[in-house]
Amino acid sequence: METIDDLARLRAAVHTHALVNLTGGLGSGKSRLARRLPVAAAVDLAAEGGLGGLRRLVAEPGGLLLVDSVDGPGTAEAVAAALDPAGDAAGPAPSGLLRPVLLVSRLPLRAAAGWGERAPVTVGLGPRSAAAVEAQARAAGVTDPEAVALVVRLAGGVPLLADLACRALHAGIAPDAPGAAADWMAGEVLERLGRERPGQRWRHALRLLATVRTGDERLLAGGPRLFETLAGLSLVRRERLGLTVREPYRSLFETAYRWRRPQAYEEVRTRAAGYRRALLSERTPGPRERAGLVEEGLFLTGDPLVRTTLFPPAEEFSRIGPARPGEADDIGRLMHRWAVRGGFDVRRSGRIVERWLDGGPAAFRLARDREGRPVGLAALLPVGADTEAGIEPLLQQHAADLLGGRGPGGLFLGAAYGADAVVHAQVLRDILVQAVRAGHLVVSTASPDYQALLHTLSFRPHGGIRDDVYRCGRRPEVYSHDFGAAGLPGWMGALTPPGAGRPAGGPEGREVPGPDVPVRDVPVLVARALARLGDPAELARSPLLACPGIGSPAGLRAWLRDAVAELAAAEAPADAEAGAILQAYYLGRSRTHHQVARRLHLSRATYFRRLRRGLALVAARLPVRTG
């Protein structure tokens, strides 16, 4: 399943350098790709006597020597010692090397001890495209559309995982049972991974790490030795907040664990969410660490929209940073693609981008691939007097409150684009990181997908603007959110699973909205519950269940419906309007805010004032302890 580009890059490296390292994750197709070259001799270090065969073959002159499976404890160092007579292999023809050597490993050998200045040239092998995985599935006899979709989803671009998913389906596992298929696949992945570290204890710890996404030694609770064992696996990376399993293997292990032990899975996730919230609440982390804790907390919510949009199950290769001088053409090209994807008028969008570029490219952050090519961006302007001209057209009647009222400060998001779902997710998470550092974020978007995500993340809606500025048939909606350090624990508490990091006090150990839930957060919980009335599983996670007289998802649903109906029948006109808005938007057939406002003959400003009033009045009726 290798690409022509992969083969061409490897051929060029082998032709130019005497010592080359082909590297990529477990099952990425390294060995298959390497054997496409004219190999004169091969040795597999996973086989018995492999190292002795390497010492013999490297001492003989000849054609290309393929050395596979340079993995496991001490293997890379032993290979370096076996090649020691080669001398300096950094150039195209080292004097002591009698033949060119291609080394295949899961991790780059440059990271291993013993190589020094003889480190080989590295050629990395990335994931395959979804189309390539689909072709692999069909070639393996999987043709049912639902089954093919499952293979693509579980494979994450890794040929081995695609093969295992096909075999699981042929073994009789139904396409609508992803957990069962993932469990079947994970067994063989763990066996193949086993040659890197002996023993069994780390296998369960790996599932737990995959469930929490990132774990430090305290969160994993297995002691220093187990932590170091996990850290030594090729599928595990060291990140700012601890260890993490590389995608798509992380998603595979998590899916399998959730299927095999669903209750334990929820307990692990809830404990991790509480730990992250405690770090935000009890310590005084700096902006960078706060941003990381927020990102981990968002992952642990388990919300399907948040997971799909911000954490797709595929490995990430892009790096994101400020745009550089001279990248205006790249910004224009990516913004053109953003406009086309959004169905926006290209000329109108171009004029808006020109305003954002008036002060240079500093208003943009770019995602760059492994070759440094821009593949995604965010238009993220600091709010201030010098940027107001570029921001005001996308805020219009809301500009006075969000710009003049706050004064300079915070960030404004005008656009976000990624060439694919993985880059797009990286860009969106980077926006949240920058927002946490800045303390406040204002968003103007005409995208229904972004609007749904912002609602899920409990951003404050301000309503639409007057004009359809992008000529797309949709007026941008404006949202904002405070990311100040003091408010982050409460916000994360409204998003994370119930019971995470708070003292149990309600039925079945659920959190009780009380001193730990600020008064301002209760309307947010009401809005989230109203938006999920048709989803019993989501209602079961609501902290509002702990209120006296509610107790169950069905009870919460009935209480909310009654409260909204009573509000709509109120004598005060403003209260009745607020109730009518809640009925139309949350309890009626699916409509946008704009459609509901038009139906009720309300201006946008009045509509959103009444919406906030209605949520606050319903929240005030709850028997909630506010301390």
Side-chain angles (χ1 to χ4, degrees), residues 19-81:
L19 198 58
V20 176
N21 177 204
L22 175 62
T23 183
L26 185 155
S28 57
K30 303 179 297 295
S31 299
R32 177 187 174 95
L33 177 62
R35 293 184 182 279
R36 294 285 304 276
L37 298 178
V39 175
V43 57
D44 188 348
L45 297 182
E48 186 176 353
L51 194 58
L54 170 63
R55 293 192 184 97
R56 176 179 56 80
L57 289 169
V58 79
E60 300 174 356
L64 179 64
L65 170 61
L66 170 62
V67 185
D68 206 349
S69 304
V70 189
D71 304 298
T75 303
E77 292 82 353
V79 171

Side-chain angles (χ1 to χ4, degrees), residues 540-557:
R541 297 173 54 191
S542 175
L544 301 180
L545 292 178
C547 296
I550 292 180
S552 69
L556 178 58
R557 183 187 302 109

Side-chain angles (χ1 to χ4, degrees), residues 194-216:
R195 77 165 185 252
E196 298 181 15
R197 290 292 185 271
Q200 298 285 326
R201 187 178 172 216
W202 59 265
R203 299 189 179 200
H204 180 60
L206 189 65
R207 294 187 181 99
L208 300 183
L209 177 58
T211 297
V212 301
R213 186 172 184 255
T214 304
D216 56 20

Side-chain angles (χ1 to χ4, degrees), residues 132-145 148 151 166:
V133 173
E134 182 174 338
Q136 181 181 352
R138 295 187 183 281
V142 177
T143 57
D144 175 71
V148 171
V151 173
C166 292

